[in-house]
Amino acid sequence: MIRLHLKKLTYMEGGYMQDNILIGVLMMMGGLFGMMLSFYLALCFIQWVSDVVEQKRWLVWREWIR
């Protein structure tokens, strides 16, 4: 009788553990996706600044400010 109760408890704990592992894996994948997206946006911003400096668009902007 006691063994049957322990088996049910172990099975339930195993089910909860699998859910926690699944949530952990999904959160880790979401975190990695977020890091990749932020790195990509940072690279886009760096490329935009490089284009502005290379094409000397900042000279036009300086005239607009005056």
Side-chain angles (χ1 to χ4, degrees):
M1 199 56 95
I2 294 175
R3 289 184 179 176
L4 183 61
H5 175 68
L6 291 176
K7 284 182 180 179
K8 286 182 181 179
L9 185 62
T10 304
Y11 174 73
M12 288 177 64
E13 287 177 359
Y16 289 133
M17 186 174 178
Q18 288 174 351
D19 290 343
N20 288 338
I21 291 173
L22 179 64
I23 290 171
V25 168
L26 290 175
M27 288 181 68
M28 193 176 296
M29 289 176 62
L32 288 173
F33 177 75
M35 287 174 40
M36 286 173 30
L37 184 64
S38 64
F39 186 67
Y40 174 75
L41 291 174
L43 287 177
C44 287
F45 178 73
I46 291 170
Q47 182 66 40
W48 178 78
V49 169
S50 174
D51 289 343
V52 166
V53 170
E54 183 179 326
Q55 296 172 7
K56 298 187 184 204
R57 281 190 262 167
W58 56 274
L59 290 173
V60 176
W61 294 349
R62 195 172 77 180
E63 291 177 7
W64 286 349
I65 294 173
R66 288 185 187 174

